[in-house]
């Protein structure tokens, strides 16, 4: 497919709310990583130095809980947007424009594996690829488990009156190791698949500008491009 002269140079991919929420996630996730690991790995000299810069362990803990609250408020706003989108705008939470997994994602995964091993052509993605959906659901589901274990650690006296005391210790282990997994996923999978690609390095700007070039749109989301143009005809 080629860009014709009467086509716009850019395509609107993300609205302002989605871009703002992504910034909220970036800022607060980074803050959580710095404060959380500085407290959890306090036996290292460099983490003690970071904690001292923050103002001590108590200040680091308060800041960690502040970042966690702000991050989860972003998730709540996202849920409220989904409710408004469904109820007021009569939008669909399933279908090709949705982040809900469907059978095409599994077909695309299979096709992509064939392509990687030299046995076929690359899959033709719609609005979201299967890996972009994994990114979304990793955050969405991970936030719930991190939030629950974080609350148990935040209010141990209250929850130990309801649950066996050792659940607080279990929550602490789950919270730490899931945080390690989250950092590894963001650092290795999300960054390499999104921001470190040769054609966009060092940054994929569309999540910040909201726009994607029509040429890139046709190349990376050809199925969505065909749907939009067939609807115009």
């Amino acid at each position: 497919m080629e860009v014709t002269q009467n086509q716009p140079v850019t395509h609107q991919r993300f609205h302002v709310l989605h871009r703002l929420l992504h910034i909220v996630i970036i800022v607060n996730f980074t803050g959580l990583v710095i404060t959380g690991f500085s407290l959890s790995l306090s036996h290292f000299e460099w983490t003690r130095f970071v904690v001292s810069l923050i103002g001590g362990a108590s200040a680091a803990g308060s800041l960690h809980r502040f970042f966690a609250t702000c991050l989860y408020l972003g998730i709540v706003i996202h849920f409220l947007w989904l409710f408004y989108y469904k109820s007021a705008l009569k939008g669909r939470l399933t279908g090709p424009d949705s982040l809900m997994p469907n059978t095409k994602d599994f077909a695309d995964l299979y096709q992509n594996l064939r392509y990687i091993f030299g046995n076929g052509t690359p899959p033709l993605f719609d609005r979201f690829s299967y890996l972009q959906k994994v990114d979304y659901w990793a955050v969405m589901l991970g936030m719930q488990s991190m939030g629950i274990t974080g609350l148990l650690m935040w209010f141990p006296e209250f929850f130990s009156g309801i649950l066996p005391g050792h659940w607080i210790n279990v929550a602490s282990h789950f919270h730490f190791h899931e945080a390690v997994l989250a950092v590894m996923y963001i650092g290795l999978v999300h960054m390499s698949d999104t921001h470190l690609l040769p054609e966009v390095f060092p940054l994929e700007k569309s999540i910040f500008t909201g726009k994607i070039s029509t040429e890139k749109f046709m190349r990376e989301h050809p199925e969505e491009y065909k749907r939009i143009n067939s609807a115009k005809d």
Side-chain angles (χ1 to χ4, degrees):
M1 291 183 290
E2 296 182 355
V3 181
T4 59
Q5 292 184 349
N6 60 344
Q7 288 179 320
V9 178
T10 60
H11 171 77
Q12 187 74 31
R13 178 158 173 79
F14 299 107
H15 296 295
V16 62
L17 177 63
H18 305 140
R19 286 139 54 193
L20 288 174
L21 288 178
H22 191 263
I23 293 174
V24 167
I25 291 176
I26 292 173
V27 172
N28 290 288
F29 180 82
T30 303
L32 285 168
V33 169
I34 294 172
T35 55
F37 283 111
S38 295
L39 290 168
S40 298
L41 305 175
S42 57
H43 52 286
F44 289 108
E45 189 67 32
W46 68 269
T47 56
R48 290 197 292 269
F49 174 71
V50 172
V51 169
S52 68
L53 289 179
I54 296 173
S58 178
S62 297
L63 196 57
H64 186 78
R65 291 186 285 271
F66 171 77
F67 286 131
T69 302
C70 291
L71 181 57
Y72 208 85
L73 281 175
I75 301 295
V76 171
I77 291 172
H78 176 64
F79 279 129
L80 292 174
W81 157 251
L82 288 177
F83 177 77
Y84 173 76
Y85 176 75
K86 176 67 176 176
S87 59
L89 300 182
K90 306 301 180 184
R92 295 186 60 189
L93 299 182
T94 59
D97 289 322
S98 169
L99 280 160
M100 289 294 291
N102 54 46
T103 54
K104 185 181 186 308
D105 297 319
F106 295 98
D108 287 346
L109 172 59
Y110 174 72
Q111 181 64 27
N112 207 28
L113 290 174
R114 284 174 50 85
Y115 170 67
I116 290 172
F117 290 102
N119 292 319
T121 58
L124 302 178
F125 294 124
D126 210 298
R127 179 166 177 78
F128 300 105
S129 69
Y130 63 85
L131 197 52
Q132 289 170 333
K133 293 182 180 183
V134 170
D135 284 346
Y136 173 83
W137 285 106
V139 173
M140 190 58 63
L141 297 178
M143 271 300 302
Q144 313 315 312
S145 57
M146 290 293 284
I148 292 171
T149 54
L151 282 174
L152 287 170
M153 296 165 61
W154 192 347
F155 303 104
E157 297 87 356
F158 172 76
F159 285 107
S160 60
I162 304 173
L163 303 168
H166 64 267
W167 281 46
I168 309 301
N169 295 328
V170 172
S172 176
H173 282 288
F174 268 97
H175 198 79
F176 174 77
H177 289 98
E178 188 172 355
V180 172
L181 287 174
V183 171
M184 290 177 62
Y185 182 85
I186 294 296
L188 298 176
V189 180
H190 179 68
M191 293 298 292
S192 62
D193 180 65
T194 304
H195 299 292
L196 301 182
L197 296 174
E199 60 267 27
V200 299
F201 182 83
L203 183 69
E204 167 56 77
K205 299 182 180 66
S206 63
I207 190 60
F208 302 103
T209 65
K211 298 182 182 297
I212 184 174
S213 69
T214 299
E215 180 183 359
K216 185 178 180 182
F217 181 36
M218 293 190 313
R219 183 177 68 251
E220 297 187 359
H221 307 278
E223 293 296 298
E224 182 187 13
Y225 177 81
K226 287 194 295 185
R227 283 193 297 106
I228 291 176
N229 281 276
S230 62
K232 293 178 181 179
D233 295 338

